Amino acid sequence: MNRILKLWQPAMLAVFALAFNACTDEYEYTPQPDADYEGAYILADETTLILGEDDAQQLSFTVARHDSTEAASYKLYTTNSSVNVPTEVNFAANEGTKKFTIDFDLPIGTIEEGVTIGVEEGDTYMYGAHSQTYTISRCKKIPGQTIMASYFLSDGQGGPGTWLLDIYEYGTLTDEETGVKTARYLLKEPFAVMEQVGQGYGTGYNVIFSLDSNGNATTAEQGLYYDTYNGGEVVVSGNGTYYSNNNAIVFIWTLNIPSLGGGFGQIEHDIYFPTGYNPIPQ
């Protein structure tokens, strides 16, 4: 009996192996071609540009390549003829990057114009960004200067202080369902101005706020300035109301430093528009 089992087991294994091989499709391996490291790609540090009408109209980008062993040329393109992009970039042997700062000429009042700059098809590097898209605004300045006043609230934080600022129109939006119009405005680096008059707030950013046709004002959360004393970015947000008798918006702004888990609480900021200018969207 033991001899029968010893002979039967190898025989069955052979049968199973033959059956398995019969059911297995043949597969021919095709070697993959070597990766293509030729071509160029494009990099950009900042792609959202919000400019005043008198600001320099310039943007920057870098053209780079992975394989820099030989001299080569790559063609570029743009979707906007107002942007002066070089049509071709020439690299010397062992040169891997070229940085460009170029001019453009967009009309005053241009808001959130999309501009794409890229490497022409056929000259692109397969593993890099073939293009970069910029969003550019060139805002119209409101004649005269705006007054921004800051006041203490009950917690003792904030002002008092008064500063003269430049203010710009940042386009008008219309709610398709309600018909309510909302005008957007740009305060040009308000806290940088405060630094110049001795307040020492640090680097300031532009601030965008909105005002609808019912007199309701909103400042969505955004960076206000970098606090060099506390070492963190201060963000601002809050709502306000427009008062026609003073031609002003009274905002209650909340100032926080998210990276530090704290802030300065709520502070009243009043925005006085130049005399004769009606900020309510028509």
Side-chain angles (χ1 to χ4, degrees):
M1 184 68 177
N2 290 337
R3 178 175 177 78
I4 295 174
L5 287 175
K6 288 179 181 179
L7 295 174
W8 177 80
Q9 289 175 339
M12 291 302 296
L13 289 174
V15 171
F16 287 140
L18 289 172
F20 178 80
N21 289 334
C23 296
T24 302
D25 295 333
E26 291 186 1
Y27 177 76
E28 293 184 3
Y29 173 72
T30 303
Q32 292 296 312
D34 293 337
D36 182 5
Y37 294 119
E38 296 182 355
Y41 57 101
I42 189 165
L43 304 169
D45 293 329
E46 185 177 9
T47 56
T48 299
L49 304 177
I50 302 175
L51 308 174
E53 61 180 60
D54 298 324
D55 291 339
Q57 297 187 74
Q58 293 183 326
L59 60 82
S60 298
F61 62 91
T62 299
V63 178
R65 59 185 186 148
H66 180 81
D67 184 356
S68 60
T69 54
E70 298 181 0
S73 299
Y74 307 97
K75 291 182 172 58
L76 303 182
Y77 74 90
T78 179
T79 57
N80 193 306
S81 60
S82 298
V83 181
N84 299 316
V85 174
T87 56
E88 191 172 74
V89 181
N90 299 310
F91 285 86
N94 300 317
E95 187 178 22
T97 61
K98 279 185 177 291
K99 186 168 184 178
F100 296 88
T101 297
I102 62 174
D103 299 323
F104 56 88
D105 186 16
L106 295 178
I108 295 172
T110 298
I111 302 298
E112 297 176 352
E113 176 85 4
V115 175
T116 299
I117 297 173
V119 181
E120 287 279 10
E121 186 177 354
D123 282 348
T124 56
Y125 173 58
M126 63 186 301
Y127 299 114
H130 295 181
S131 65
Q132 296 287 338
T133 298
Y134 295 78
T135 302
I136 305 175
S137 299
R138 190 183 180 200
C139 306
K140 179 182 178 181
K141 183 179 177 181
I142 297 173
Q145 284 193 300
T146 295
I147 298 174
M148 186 173 81
S150 176
Y151 300 97
F152 286 111
L153 290 187
S154 58
D155 59 5
Q157 300 285 349
T162 302
W163 303 270
L164 290 174
L165 303 173
D166 293 327
I167 189 169
Y168 297 79
E169 296 176 346
Y170 191 59
T172 299
L173 306 176
T174 302
D175 188 305
E176 296 182 358
E177 294 184 0
T178 65
V180 173
K181 293 185 177 181
T182 300
R184 297 180 296 173
Y185 295 96
L186 172 73
L187 283 175
K188 194 78 173 191
E189 300 181 356
F191 274 67
V193 173
M194 295 178 188
E195 180 185 26
Q196 294 169 13
V197 297
Q199 297 295 323
Y201 283 98
T203 303
Y205 312 140
N206 294 334
V207 173
I208 297 170
F209 65 89
S210 61
L211 176 64
D212 69 22
S213 51
N214 296 322
N216 302 307
T218 302
T219 304
E221 184 174 284
Q222 60 196 283
L224 184 59
Y225 66 94
Y226 186 86
D227 190 320
T228 54
Y229 179 78
N230 291 299
E233 183 182 72
V234 177
V235 300
V236 60
S237 62
N239 298 314
T241 303
Y242 173 74
Y243 295 92
S244 58
N245 55 328
N246 294 322
N247 200 25
I249 298 173
V250 176
F251 271 113
I252 303 299
W253 277 357
T254 300
L255 277 62
N256 290 314
I257 307 179
S259 63
L260 302 181
F264 305 105
Q266 292 184 322
I267 305 173
E268 179 181 328
H269 284 78
D270 300 348
I271 310 295
Y272 292 84
F273 289 89
T275 301
Y277 182 84
N278 180 12
I280 295 291
Q282 304 302 310

